[in-house]
Structure formats: C-alpha cells, structure tokens
Amino acid sequence: MKATILTDIEGTTSSISFVRDVLFPYARRALPAFVAAHGQEPGVRRWLDVVAAEEGGICQDEVIVETLQGWIDQDRKHTALKALQGMVWEAGYRHRDFTAPLYPDVVPALHAWHAAGHGLAVYSSGSVPAQKLLFAHTEAGDLTPLFRGFFDTEVGHKRDADSYRLIADRLDRSVGDVVFLSDVVAELDAAREAGIRTVLLDRLEDYPQPRTGDAANGHARATSFADIRP
C-alpha cells in the first residue's frame, strides 16, 4: 500500500503571508458587520456567548467584537475565534474577495500523488472548516476531493507525538506508512517520535536562510513538493 501523505498548510502548501497578510486582516475588518448582520443566528450566537462568558459576562456585541479583534492581533488560538473567523472567511471566499494561493509545485504534486494511489490528508492549527474552505477555493479550483481527511488541534497539539499516532489511527494506517510534511522542525520532531516519516519544507519565500545541518535536526529537507518521493 502506498504511503499516506499528511501535510501542514502555512509555510508548506501556502505562504505564511497569506494567512497573516490576507485572511487575518480580512476577518478583523469584516467581523463588526458580520456580527451585526448574523449575531442572533444560533450558530454565531453560540460562539459570541462563549467569548462573553470567558471575559466576565460581556453584554454588548460591540465589545465582544473588540475582544475578538484583539485576539486576532495576538494570534490567539481560541476555538470561538477560529469558528467565527471561519464563518467570515466562508463569506469572503463565496464573494470572491480572495482565493487561496498555493505554491506552484503543490497542485501538480497533489494530483500526481493522488493518481499514484497515495492517500492525502491535512493537519493544521487552523480549524477543519477553515482548511476545507482554503482547499475548496484555491486558484486551481476545488481540491478537497483529493483528501481523505482534515485534522486540527482537536486531535492534539502539533508538537505532541500522540497527536500523530491518533491521526494515523483515524486514517487506518500504521505510523510507518505516513509521511508528514511541515515547515516547523518541532512539529516534525513530534511526528518522528511517533514513528512517522518526515520531510522539512524549507521554502525560500518563508525561510530565506536555508535550514540545513543542525537546523534541520535530521529531517529530510525539500524546497518544493517536486523534490519529495513519498
């Protein structure tokens, strides 16, 4: 059976700058109008109330929005923020305010691996709905049919080896039959500890100084998906 390829997103399939410079600012700008228009809908109200309760019982939606905007500025990984950002991004994708750019080598490699019988999956700190939105609205079209699974930090922290063991189990694969692609050495360390094969993506756009030798910490290194032989 062919190896299953598990990939990160930021710095791996897509530039770090897309999330930092496009998605986060868009959510920050769009949140006030989104909450004003949809704040009483049950699916939105649920998450606004979570923020209100956590912050001591905020009553005004305007203050909740300001709190969420502060969390965006802090790059806080909060479940309510991720959920609400995902809803805002969905509207942005739907209205074609932006599409998700991928590195040029990514789409040909994903199609080739899929055609060759490799299972494909995603593991990112962004929520699963946000992951699916990104891959459904790429400049190359909807790529979600290529993937067998999407995983976020609900399975565990990306620097915890048990997270990778659980993902392999959910994919019905042994850890030795999974290859994890990421630009973060500490995440690769955790995957390797779990028994998963690893590849460090060292893209010039995100890491101008090549990470070789000790900086790669023994992980195979690639500057493009075209260099990877799973």
Side-chain angles (χ1 to χ4, degrees):
M1 186 178 291
K2 298 289 185 72
T4 292
I5 301 164
L6 178 68
T7 183
D8 181 32
I9 295 177
E10 287 182 66
T12 304
T13 65
S14 309
S15 173
I16 293 171
S17 66
F18 173 62
V19 174
R20 183 187 63 221
D21 298 335
V22 177
L23 290 185
F24 283 179
Y26 182 90
R28 196 185 197 289
R29 290 192 308 270
L31 264 172
F34 177 83
V35 170
H38 303 284
Q40 298 311 312
E41 296 173 10
V44 177
R45 186 79 254 160
R46 168 194 174 195
W47 295 113
L48 295 176
D49 288 345
V50 168
V51 178
E54 185 168 315
E55 294 297 305
I58 299 172
C59 296
Q60 296 178 312
D61 281 353
E62 293 84 354
V63 180
I64 296 174
V65 167
E66 289 175 3
T67 299
L68 289 164
Q69 289 173 321
W71 289 357
I72 291 172
D73 295 341
Q74 299 162 18
D75 192 20
R76 186 168 174 188
K77 311 296 186 187
H78 191 287
T79 302
L81 174 61
K82 285 198 227 177
L84 290 165
Q85 279 179 322
M87 295 176 198
V88 171
W89 291 335
E90 180 179 12
Y93 282 119
R94 188 171 63 249
H95 296 142
R96 302 289 293 178
D97 292 336
F98 48 80
T99 55
L102 301 176
Y103 288 116
D105 54 90
V106 169
V107 174
L110 292 178
H111 281 295
W113 292 338
H114 183 265
H118 292 283
L120 303 176
V122 176
Y123 181 30
S124 173
S125 58
S127 69
V128 165
Q131 295 172 27
K132 291 180 177 179
L133 279 172
L134 186 149
F135 282 105
H137 296 88
T138 76
E139 295 168 342
D142 183 2
L143 301 179
T144 56
L146 299 177
F147 293 95
R148 288 186 55 200
F150 294 86
F151 303 93
D152 58 23
T153 51
E154 292 221 352
V155 302
H157 198 285
K158 294 185 74 181
R159 301 187 182 194
D160 183 346
D162 284 341
S163 303
Y164 298 89
R165 297 185 182 102
L166 179 57
I167 288 173
D169 183 65
R170 290 191 178 177
L171 291 170
D172 197 26
R173 302 303 310 273
S174 66
V175 289
D177 292 329
V178 179
V179 182
F180 180 51
L181 317 180
S182 175
D183 64 312
V184 180
V185 172
E187 295 174 3
L188 296 168
D189 290 344
R192 181 171 59 192
E193 181 184 339
I196 284 175
R197 290 186 287 141
T198 58
V199 178
L200 171 66
L201 267 297
D202 200 28
R203 295 189 177 277
L204 180 63
E205 295 92 332
D206 292 316
Y207 297 93
Q209 185 65 37
R211 293 175 294 168
T212 58
D214 291 344
N217 200 25
H219 298 288
R221 175 180 171 272
T223 59
S224 163
F225 273 24
D227 300 333
I228 299 170
R229 300 291 179 268

